[in-house]
Amino acid sequence: MIFIDGHPFSTHSSSPSQPQGNDILLALLENPNLISASSSFKANPERKFIASDEPGSERSKWVYIFQKEYATVDPALVDFVGTDEATTCVGLVIRNQKNGMTSVAHLDSPNIVEMGLSQMISSLVANSLETELDVHLIGGFEDVSLQHANGSAISESPAYLDGYSFPLCSKIVHTLWSRDEKFHIRTFCVLGHNTRRDSDGNTYPFFNGFVVETASGIVFPAIFDGTSRCPDELVRRIRVSASYEDANWNGKLLETYDCGSDCFKIAPCRWTLRQYHIALSLLNYSDSEILSMCSTSPAAEAPDFVGNLRRQWIYLIEHPHWTETFPKKQPRIFARSSDEKWIRS
């Protein structure tokens, strides 16, 4: 069930008992309370996260989430949890109003939404039907050219169904609507609300990332640098693509973090010799060719997108057997040191 400003949400469609995901999504995009919340979110300055060694620098504890990962954190142990590098992906926050427990996921496909939501919710509460849950959705943008009809921000034609962002958002809101839990949507900065245009009419996301302040539940735009996307950055990037060929992860979000011990426990993922050969092949292409072949939104990617891919392919070539990375099929475990750095156990 979806609630807005404390009230059950209705699409006012001709068949309100069984609305489609597209109907729910379009109604949410037009909701005045959510439009106002999006404007407030975009007005916040972007928070920058850097793992600094400077004496006296802030020692906040944060958990970073990569694409297709999720993590649930305890505000008593973690100050911030967030993600970035999202273009057509959508970040989802679910927070327990009562105890502040917060789950964040970086969703990249409609195929992982249903099971991913179940993973997140089961890690948040024992009896979710009795718990009020705050929800924030941030990410995705108008990654296809939308025709404006009758002055509306969304065309009634099927053009908006193309691309990657709209189907993903549609699946997320339909799943929230269909479940029995009480989801209070607080932020809905997706699609048109997260789209900017250049002088030529090309579209880009306003923001590629966000962070949740766990004590307050406030969500801010955020960007993480290479030092703060840790631990085990390269292996976790590789798991994103490898998981699509690993049947153990069909329909699931990737597990990364153990809430009770404040440790990263990066669950193993298998990759195949096929991926080794793909890596060998892709390294021969130019940067522009790689961008075109490997991104869902080539014009919107960060400058380090291709470089990060090349590093992954080199790792796969140097470590073609996944058991070298996950000996005895065990997770890779990282604990915080006294200076808040991640040390492998």
Side-chain angles (χ1 to χ4, degrees), residues 106-123:
H106 186 133
L107 300 165
D108 64 355
S109 166
N111 297 331
I112 61 172
V113 170
E114 289 188 13
M115 193 172 296
L117 266 169
S118 294
Q119 289 174 273
M120 297 172 73
I121 293 167
S122 64
S123 68

Side-chain angles (χ1 to χ4, degrees), residues 104-318:
V104 172
H106 186 133
L107 300 165
D108 64 355
S109 166
N111 297 331
I112 61 172
V113 170
E114 289 188 13
M115 193 172 296
L117 266 169
S118 294
Q119 289 174 273
M120 297 172 73
I121 293 167
S122 64
S123 68
L124 277 172
V125 287
N127 186 352
S128 57
L129 299 184
E130 300 300 322
T131 305
E132 307 286 333
L133 300 168
D134 287 339
V135 171
H136 305 263
L137 287 103
I138 300 157
F141 70 110
E142 291 180 348
D143 54 318
V144 293
S145 179
L146 301 182
Q147 299 298 318
H148 295 262
N150 302 321
S152 170
I154 299 292
S155 169
E156 294 300 320
S157 76
Y160 61 77
L161 298 176
D162 296 330
Y164 295 91
S165 296
F166 194 98
L168 176 57
C169 290
S170 177
K171 181 65 175 180
I172 294 170
V173 297
H174 187 264
T175 305
L176 292 171
W177 176 281
S178 302
R179 293 185 64 109
D180 293 329
E181 292 87 3
K182 298 176 182 177
F183 299 108
H184 296 262
I185 298 184
R186 306 297 187 186
T187 308
F188 201 66
C189 191
V190 299
L191 299 174
H193 300 321
N194 190 41
T195 299
R196 59 183 177 86
R197 288 175 170 80
D198 64 18
S199 57
D200 296 321
N202 300 311
T203 59
Y204 308 87
F206 262 112
F207 299 109
N208 299 95
F210 64 87
V211 69
V212 185
E213 185 179 68
T214 59
S216 66
I218 298 174
V219 181
F220 300 93
I223 185 170
F224 295 77
D225 79 343
T227 67
S228 59
R229 299 182 186 122
C230 55
D232 218 14
E233 174 247 0
L234 192 54
V235 169
R236 289 166 68 190
R237 288 186 185 276
I238 289 168
R239 290 197 317 160
V240 175
S241 56
S243 63
Y244 285 100
E245 292 191 4
D246 186 342
N248 294 316
W249 292 106
N250 282 350
K252 295 180 181 178
L253 290 167
L254 294 166
E255 295 170 357
T256 55
Y257 173 80
D258 182 80
C259 181
S261 60
D262 188 32
C263 289
F264 269 85
K265 293 185 178 179
I266 300 163
C269 185
R270 306 166 187 260
W271 51 83
T272 65
L273 287 178
R274 176 178 177 271
Q275 286 161 323
Y276 165 85
H277 291 297
I278 290 174
L280 280 175
S281 173
L282 288 172
L283 277 175
N284 294 320
Y285 288 96
S286 68
D287 286 5
S288 61
E289 290 170 326
I290 290 171
L291 192 60
S292 176
M293 291 186 297
C294 299
S295 172
T296 57
S297 51
E301 297 292 358
D304 60 354
F305 177 81
V306 173
N308 287 331
L309 285 176
R310 290 189 182 277
R311 290 192 299 116
Q312 294 171 57
W313 298 332
I314 291 170
Y315 184 97
L316 285 170
I317 291 166
E318 294 176 349

Side-chain angles (χ1 to χ4, degrees), residues 29-82:
L29 287 168
E30 296 170 355
N31 182 271
N33 289 315
L34 295 182
I35 291 172
S36 176
S38 273
S39 298
S40 298
F41 173 77
K42 289 188 284 189
N44 288 320
E46 194 171 53
R47 305 281 288 265
K48 292 180 171 61
F49 284 78
I50 300 171
S52 175
D53 290 324
E54 293 294 323
S57 61
E58 185 180 4
R59 296 294 185 183
S60 298
K61 296 181 180 180
W62 68 80
V63 167
Y64 180 83
I65 302 302
F66 280 102
Q67 181 179 340
K68 209 188 175 187
E69 292 184 341
Y70 86 103
T72 299
V73 303
D74 184 339
L77 300 174
V78 175
D79 302 311
F80 299 96
V81 54

